[in-house]
Amino acid sequence: MTYDELMSIIDKSRQDDWIFSDERGIYTYKNDLNIRIERPDIDHDADKFSGEDWATRHPDPTAYRVIYEIFYGASFVKEIFMVSVDGHRATLPLPDRKTLTITRQQYRFAQIVDQLGTLDDYMKRAGLEVKE
């Protein structure tokens, strides 16, 4: 499998294409068990994310950087940086700072890891838009 093939599979997948273990922070792709996404535990001191209004304008202004890691078998493929906002009620893609836009690929990935179903509501609240 090539990098482009793997990223295309992830981009075209939906949340229900993945087996999720919240306790382990692991997503496994049902159609190819070699593909997985891992969410390491957040270090609440080291991973604080501040200084950007879109991330802190929520009832709980504390935000944390979250790094998702994509693997194929034992091979590390890519890191995806996101931000957990409002007491971990949503995880948002890291937007372009000037335009507050994200790519369609970022949005599709965020849909996969949106376990609470809050992505779209929090994107509106944060002022984030998908650029076409």
Side-chain angles (χ1 to χ4, degrees), residues 58-107:
H58 309 285
D60 180 342
T62 309
Y64 299 95
R65 177 187 66 159
V66 182
I67 303 171
Y68 288 87
E69 298 171 334
I70 299 172
F71 290 86
Y72 185 77
S75 298
F76 169 79
V77 178
K78 182 176 182 171
E79 289 179 328
I80 306 284
F81 291 86
M82 298 184 67
V83 179
S84 177
V85 299
D86 197 17
H88 303 292
R89 289 178 181 88
T91 303
L92 302 176
L94 207 56
D96 177 282
R97 287 183 175 174
K98 293 179 183 175
T99 63
L100 294 183
T101 58
I102 61 170
T103 66
R104 173 74 48 201
Q105 187 177 28
Q106 284 177 293
Y107 180 68

Side-chain angles (χ1 to χ4, degrees):
M1 171 154 324
T2 68
Y3 174 85
D4 290 338
E5 289 169 338
L6 174 61
M7 296 313 294
S8 178
I9 288 170
I10 292 172
D11 189 49
K12 292 176 182 172
S13 71
R14 297 178 329 186
Q15 188 181 61
D16 61 354
D17 292 330
W18 297 83
I19 300 164
F20 175 61
S21 169
D22 190 33
E23 184 175 310
R24 295 173 185 248
I26 297 175
Y27 299 76
T28 304
Y29 187 58
K30 292 178 184 177
N31 295 319
D32 184 342
L33 300 179
N34 286 306
I35 301 172
R36 75 181 183 284
I37 300 167
E38 294 186 12
R39 180 201 67 216
D41 290 334
I42 294 172
D43 179 333
H44 285 90
D45 292 323
D47 292 329
K48 282 197 174 176
F49 185 88
S50 60
E52 298 199 30
D53 184 55
W54 65 268
T56 58
R57 69 168 64 149
H58 309 285
D60 180 342
T62 309
Y64 299 95
R65 177 187 66 159
V66 182
I67 303 171
Y68 288 87
E69 298 171 334
I70 299 172
F71 290 86
Y72 185 77
S75 298
F76 169 79
V77 178
K78 182 176 182 171
E79 289 179 328
I80 306 284
F81 291 86
M82 298 184 67
V83 179
S84 177
V85 299
D86 197 17
H88 303 292
R89 289 178 181 88
T91 303
L92 302 176
L94 207 56
D96 177 282
R97 287 183 175 174
K98 293 179 183 175
T99 63
L100 294 183
T101 58
I102 61 170
T103 66
R104 173 74 48 201
Q105 187 177 28
Q106 284 177 293
Y107 180 68
R108 300 280 293 154
F109 185 86
Q111 287 178 311
I112 293 169
V113 300
D114 179 26
Q115 292 301 312
L116 298 176
T118 57
L119 175 63
D120 291 332
D121 181 48
Y122 275 84
M123 280 187 52
K124 286 179 191 166
R125 183 182 297 184
L128 305 184
E129 293 182 6
V130 178
K131 72 177 169 190
E132 298 298 330

